């Protein structure tokens, strides 16, 4: 191969500009890969735990499967679908990224809400634990974000009645609050004795705490991009 300008190939010609943005891109792609791996571990372990006694599932195990697939798998992937560095949607057109996001969020919200309501109906006294209280916060914000998401989807058509950013910024904030509340509820779930005992070897519950750490890590990686978007949209709107 004949190279007219060898410097252009190794990037040194654009030192400081090309190299920096390339390094940042590698960093963002690596974080994206890490988020997918952590989602797989957390959701996978929860499903193995829920099926530990085989079928049929009791109500507690059923709510674990539905809530974890809803919040930590579908909603997480739904938020990631819009991220420019997300591996499996990077080649999609914007319109298809939005469609993917909408479908995943609707499916995730329905599963998570059904899982939560089933467990609520199974209990005689509701919201008497921190696990249940944070799950309620997640449910309320998920519902608001879902309704708000539809006005964001049709922001262009509704622009005469609602300025675009008026539905988009709250949609991002409500979605992030719902996702973080679901994480906190999940961590209180991991703190239950029966989960810690299942994971614990010789009464060492390190794995349950590692699960909390992994769930917190992927939640943080996932919410960074929408928070930057909400912040820059707010700054632009104020200027
Ligand atoms: C994001 C995931 C989860 C969500 C959104 C969720 C949601 C809920 C909800 C809404 C309730 C009913 C609360 C009430 O009516 O008082 C509940 C109860 C319960 N959940 Fe979960 N759950 C999740 C994960 C887990 C996990 C991973 C475990 C265990 C390993 C678990 C164990 C329990 C237990 C034992 C109860 C009954 C006691 C209580 O209300 O605190 N949950 N959950």
């Amino acid at each position: 191969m004949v190279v007219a300008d060898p410097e252009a190939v190794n990037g040194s010609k654009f030192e400081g500009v090309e190299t920096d943005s390339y390094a940042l891109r590698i960093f963002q792609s690596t974080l994206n890969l890490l988020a997918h791996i952590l989602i797989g571990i957390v959701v996978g372990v929860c499903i193995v735990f829920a099926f530990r006694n085989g079928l049929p599932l009791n109500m507690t195990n059923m709510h674990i499967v539905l809530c974890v697939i809803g919040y930590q798998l579908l909603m997480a992937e739904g938020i990631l679908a819009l991220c420019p560095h997300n591996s499996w949607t990077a080649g999609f057109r914007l319109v298809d990224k939005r469609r993917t996001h909408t479908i995943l969020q609707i499916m995730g919200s329905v599963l998570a809400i059904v899982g939560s309501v089933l467990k609520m109906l199974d209990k005689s006294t509701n919201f008497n634990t921190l696990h249940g209280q944070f799950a309620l916060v997640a449910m309320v914000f998920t519902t608001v974000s879902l309704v708000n998401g539809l006005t964001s989807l049709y922001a262009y058509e509704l622009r005469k009645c609602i300025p675009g950013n008026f539905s988009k910024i709250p949609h991002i904030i409500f979605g992030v609050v719902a996702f973080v509340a679901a994480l906190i509820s999940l961590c209180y779930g991991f703190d239950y004795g029966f989960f810690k005992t299942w994971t614990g070897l010789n009464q060492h519950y390190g794995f349950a705490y590692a699960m909390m750490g992994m769930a917190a890590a992927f939640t943080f990686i996932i919410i960074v991009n929408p928070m930057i978007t909400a912040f820059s949209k707010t700054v632009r709107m104020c200027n």
Side-chain angles (χ1 to χ4, degrees):
M1 190 178 81
V2 180
V3 178
D5 185 355
E7 272 190 326
V9 174
N10 64 20
S12 58
K13 193 162 193 181
F14 305 103
E15 227 163 14
V17 179
E18 275 286 294
T19 322
D20 280 359
S21 65
Y22 182 59
L24 186 63
R25 279 214 307 272
I26 292 185
F27 179 65
Q28 286 160 331
S29 301
T30 309
L31 281 187
N32 182 262
L33 173 65
L34 182 65
H36 283 112
I37 293 172
L38 296 178
I39 292 173
I41 296 174
V42 170
V43 175
V45 171
C46 287
I47 289 178
V48 172
F49 172 72
F51 281 92
R52 70 199 177 285
N53 298 325
L55 290 170
L57 294 183
N58 64 22
M59 209 47 98
T60 301
N61 290 329
M62 177 101 81
H63 105 280
I64 294 174
V65 171
L66 293 173
C67 289
V68 171
I69 292 185
Y71 283 120
Q72 274 75 32
L73 180 66
L74 298 179
M75 272 201 188
E77 290 295 344
I79 302 173
L80 280 175
L82 289 178
C83 174
H85 321 286
N86 188 43
S87 51
W88 63 274
T89 51
F92 287 21
R93 289 176 301 166
L94 184 61
V95 63
D96 291 325
K97 285 188 187 182
R98 285 205 182 127
R99 283 183 186 136
T100 312
H101 171 77
T102 309
I103 295 168
L104 286 173
Q105 294 301 343
I106 292 175
M107 281 170 35
S109 307
V110 169
L111 287 193
I113 292 172
V114 169
S116 301
V117 171
L118 283 180
K119 185 63 208 172
M120 280 157 56
L121 296 176
D122 188 45
K123 283 186 67 182
S124 46
T125 316
N126 293 115
F127 311 120
N128 52 348
T129 61
L130 281 166
H131 173 71
Q133 286 158 6
F134 278 102
L136 176 66
V137 174
M139 229 178 348
V140 170
F141 277 89
T142 300
T143 312
V144 179
S145 175
L146 203 59
V147 175
N148 202 240
L150 293 177
T151 54
S152 305
L153 193 64
Y154 294 103
Y156 184 74
E157 287 78 2
L158 295 171
R159 68 191 182 284
K160 287 205 179 110
C161 342
I162 321 170
N165 282 335
F166 271 76
S167 46
K168 282 186 188 167
I169 297 170
H171 174 61
I172 299 175
I173 294 169
F174 295 150
V176 167
V177 173
F179 196 52
V180 172
L183 161 76
I184 301 174
S185 173
L186 179 72
C187 289
Y188 278 112
F190 290 150
D191 203 35
Y192 280 120
F194 68 116
F195 181 78
K196 289 202 286 194
T197 313
W198 179 74
T199 60
L201 278 175
N202 305 325
Q203 305 298 310
H204 291 303
Y205 300 134
F207 188 71
Y209 298 120
M211 287 283 283
M212 294 180 198
M214 288 188 281
F218 78 69
T219 302
F220 178 74
I221 295 173
I222 291 172
I223 63 171
V224 166
N225 192 57
M227 293 213 318
I228 293 173
T229 309
F231 179 74
S232 58
K233 274 184 192 295
T234 312
V235 170
R236 246 182 293 146
M237 208 173 71
C238 295
N239 287 337

